[in-house]
Amino acid sequence: MGGEMGFYLALAAMAAASYACRVAGYLLMGWVPITPRLEAALKAMPLGVMVGIVTPAASSGRAPELLGLVAVAVVMRLSGKDVIAAVVGAAVVALARRFLA
């Protein structure tokens, strides 16, 4: 039980830290004037996060990841919706891993 208790305490501490970071960011942004430059940076942040997630997988050069990257590019070009493109890309990678590997 001691090992399990340590796990649950660590999990609770990480959850509290994550929640505190989110709340602090939300509260602190109430004091920051939103300039056009800051607004542009905030709008670009999701793209930066996605690039950071996708780049290691895409640079591996394996077929499922490359097919997913192509699918994302095509769906983004056709729909212009990043969430739809991300979901389609993840589905293509999952299906390609299932049937190609």
Side-chain angles (χ1 to χ4, degrees):
M1 182 74 178
E4 290 179 12
M5 183 56 79
F7 169 77
Y8 289 122
L9 286 174
L11 184 65
M14 288 186 286
S18 176
Y19 183 74
C21 287
R22 290 173 184 255
V23 169
Y26 178 76
L27 293 175
L28 290 174
M29 283 305 291
W31 296 91
V32 175
I34 305 296
T35 62
R37 186 173 179 176
L38 178 60
E39 185 175 359
L42 290 173
K43 285 183 179 179
M45 198 175 297
L47 177 62
V49 170
M50 290 301 287
V51 167
I53 293 170
V54 169
T55 300
S59 66
S60 72
R62 296 186 321 195
E65 287 79 9
L66 295 176
L67 287 172
L69 195 58
V70 169
V72 167
V74 169
V75 173
M76 270 302 293
R77 181 77 172 140
L78 295 176
S79 72
K81 307 268 187 221
D82 55 352
V83 173
I84 294 172
V87 169
V88 169
V92 167
V93 170
L95 289 171
R97 284 181 180 172
R98 172 85 167 122
F99 294 111
L100 294 179

